[in-house]
Amino acid sequence: MVMKSKSTYLMMSSLLLAITLERKLVTSFQLSPVAQLTRRSISSSISSLQAQKGGQKGGGGGGGGGKAKKPKNIYAETILLPETDFSQRANAIKREPELQEYWKSTDLYSKLSADAASQGAERFVLHDGPPYANGDLHIGHALNKLLKDFINRHQMLKGKQVHYVPGWDCHGLPIELKVLQTMKSKERQALTPITLREKAAIFAKDTVEKQSESFQRYGVIGDFSNPYMTLLPEYEAAQIRVFGEMYKSGYIFRGRKPVHWSPSSRTALAEAELEYPEGHVSKSIYVAFDVASPSDELKEHINGDEKLKVAIWTTTPWTIPANLAVAINPDLEYCIVDSHANVLDGKSKLLVATGLVNTLEVSNLYLTNYKLHVC
């Protein structure tokens, strides 16, 4: 009872002090805006004190009662915040479709291009390298397309008529691999080249639609309603016409070139598609190529049944089966040396660059007790 009376006394004292302070403030500020805010603050304080007093009275007779209600922040009504209809939540699920529909309805790209063309403005065409139609977009696509979109928009602001036609590469290994990954092993074995191409074409067209929608969600502007795809007949026909013009101009010739083959994918690989695993060390080999028709100068250093070979060193052993010739540098000095009988047949000599003789001797692969014949 002593503690309860003391608490009640303190609450009543605080209440009287607040009432006295309120009267003084009203008199001094004469209900100015600041005074009004202060009065509301004091009124809140009085309400809080009364609520606390009532809670103590109600809980005393019940032997503990309920938990006292947390008092309201007395400074809440003194904080003046601006009122706005702008939502504090992003609500992207609802807002993004609305924004996409708005930009689509404005048709900004077509209007700006048409206005610039009507004024005879300078044309600006961005030739964009097409992405592969082999899956969903990633951060690399975003960086590529957004940077190019910056360029197009900058040219539009300069008043030029901008022409940007997006395109897609619908041929090649990446698309074929994606198709094969969706098939079972038995289905792969029954595949024919024609069937694989048909499935790859269907997959590529579906992917183009998905990527196009994603690019437009990025905000990229362009003629997305009329894209180019490398599998379209008109595009392939244009390629053949260009190829014909190049052939007539003498730029096309027939030659030999090693083509990299993937045994696991059962398809050819481009140079850019070759990757070495981390920590890979290429094995190097020394090879002696036969000299099929030695010149008269070389014959002077060959006796009887001796054979002449050209020594080479390479870190790409898999290219040896395709090698048909060895290039000789006219600015270097070459020599003929005797090879070790344990390495070759004992009746062969090697044609090597003079500056590399010591290297071959140290490696102890071909040369031991060699004789040097400069040629």
Side-chain angles (χ1 to χ4, degrees):
M1 293 299 293
V2 175
M3 293 296 294
K4 187 172 182 179
S5 299
K6 185 177 181 180
S7 175
T8 304
Y9 173 76
L10 290 175
M11 289 179 60
M12 293 302 296
S13 300
S14 300
L15 179 59
L16 292 174
L17 178 61
I19 294 174
T20 304
L21 179 60
E22 180 186 14
R23 291 176 178 174
K24 290 184 178 181
L25 287 173
V26 170
T27 303
S28 59
F29 289 107
Q30 297 180 352
L31 296 180
S32 63
V34 177
Q36 293 178 12
L37 293 176
T38 308
R39 184 169 185 176
R40 277 185 292 188
S41 176
I42 295 172
S43 299
S44 300
S45 302
I46 295 173
S47 299
S48 300
L49 290 172
Q50 291 175 346
Q52 290 181 7
K53 182 178 179 182
Q56 289 179 356
K57 287 182 178 180
K67 188 175 181 180
K69 185 177 179 181
K70 185 178 180 180
K72 184 179 179 181
N73 188 347
I74 61 175
Y75 300 104
E77 297 185 11
T78 67
I79 301 176
L80 298 179
L81 297 176
E83 295 183 2
T84 176
D85 295 332
F86 191 84
S87 177
Q88 297 182 10
R89 295 174 177 266
N91 200 11
I93 297 178
K94 178 182 178 182
R95 291 291 295 156
E96 184 177 350
E98 294 176 355
L99 292 173
Q100 296 297 328
E101 185 61 29
Y102 168 76
W103 285 112
K104 186 177 180 180
S105 64
T106 58
D107 197 15
L108 182 64
Y109 170 78
S110 299
K111 289 182 179 179
L112 291 178
S113 298
D115 291 344
S118 64
Q119 298 175 10
E122 180 184 352
R123 287 167 56 89
F124 177 81
V125 180
L126 177 65
H127 295 282
D128 183 18
Y132 267 121
N134 66 326
D136 296 330
L137 301 184
H138 51 70
I139 190 64
H141 292 99
L143 177 63
N144 181 290
K145 279 293 184 290
L146 291 177
L147 290 178
K148 293 173 181 176
D149 190 61
F150 294 167
I151 297 174
N152 283 333
R153 290 175 182 268
H154 175 67
Q155 296 298 327
M156 282 184 172
L157 291 174
K158 294 172 68 175
K160 296 182 181 180
Q161 48 173 317
V162 174
H163 297 272
Y164 172 61
V165 180
W168 280 268
D169 187 347
C170 304
H171 295 101
L173 178 63
I175 298 175
E176 295 174 2
L177 288 178
K178 282 289 185 178
V179 173
L180 293 174
Q181 289 174 2
T182 61
M183 303 175 66
K184 298 180 180 179
S185 58
K186 292 184 179 180
E187 295 176 335
R188 294 182 186 180
Q189 295 175 0
L191 268 182
T192 63
I194 300 299
T195 306
L196 178 58
R197 292 170 193 167
E198 292 175 350
K199 291 182 177 294
I202 295 173
F203 177 85
K205 291 179 180 178
D206 293 339
T207 304
V208 166
E209 294 182 3
K210 294 179 181 178
Q211 290 191 2
S212 176
E213 182 181 354
S214 297
F215 282 138
Q216 294 178 64
R217 289 183 64 186
Y218 289 170
V220 178
I221 58 175
D223 192 4
F224 282 94
S225 58
N226 299 295
Y228 74 88
M229 292 183 285
T230 59
L231 56 72
L232 295 177
E234 54 268 27
Y235 184 91
E236 294 176 337
Q239 282 185 311
I240 294 175
R241 284 195 296 269
V242 173
F243 182 83
E245 294 297 328
M246 294 174 64
Y247 176 78
K248 292 178 181 178
S249 302
Y251 295 114
I252 307 299
F253 62 91
R254 185 173 183 175
R256 295 178 181 271
K257 179 183 178 180
V259 177
H260 301 280
W261 179 260
S262 173
S264 59
S265 303
R266 295 185 296 176
T267 186
L269 299 176
E271 292 284 349
E273 293 174 325
L274 297 179
E275 295 183 0
Y276 293 93
E278 187 176 354
H280 172 77
V281 178
S282 297
K283 295 182 179 179
S284 62
I285 60 171
Y286 290 88
V287 182
F289 284 92
D290 292 328
V291 177
S293 300
S295 63
D296 294 337
E297 294 181 355
L298 293 177
K299 290 179 180 179
E300 296 177 1
H301 305 286
I302 304 174
N303 300 321
D305 297 335
E306 291 181 338
K307 297 180 180 179
L308 181 62
K309 298 177 181 291
V310 181
I312 69 154
W313 173 81
T314 179
T315 57
T316 56
W318 57 87
T319 63
I320 294 301
N323 281 12
L324 299 177
V326 178
I328 301 296
N329 192 331
D331 298 329
L332 295 180
E333 183 183 72
Y334 290 86
C335 62
I336 296 176
V337 297
D338 297 328
S339 63
H340 194 278
N342 294 335
V343 178
L344 294 176
D345 52 14
K347 297 181 180 181
S348 298
K349 293 184 178 181
L350 293 174
L351 176 66
V352 298
T354 304
L356 296 177
V357 171
N358 292 333
T359 303
L360 292 176
E361 182 183 16
V362 171
S363 63
N364 199 26
L365 292 175
Y366 285 132
L367 310 176
T368 301
N369 300 325
Y370 63 87
K371 296 178 182 180
L372 181 64
H373 305 278
V374 178
C375 57

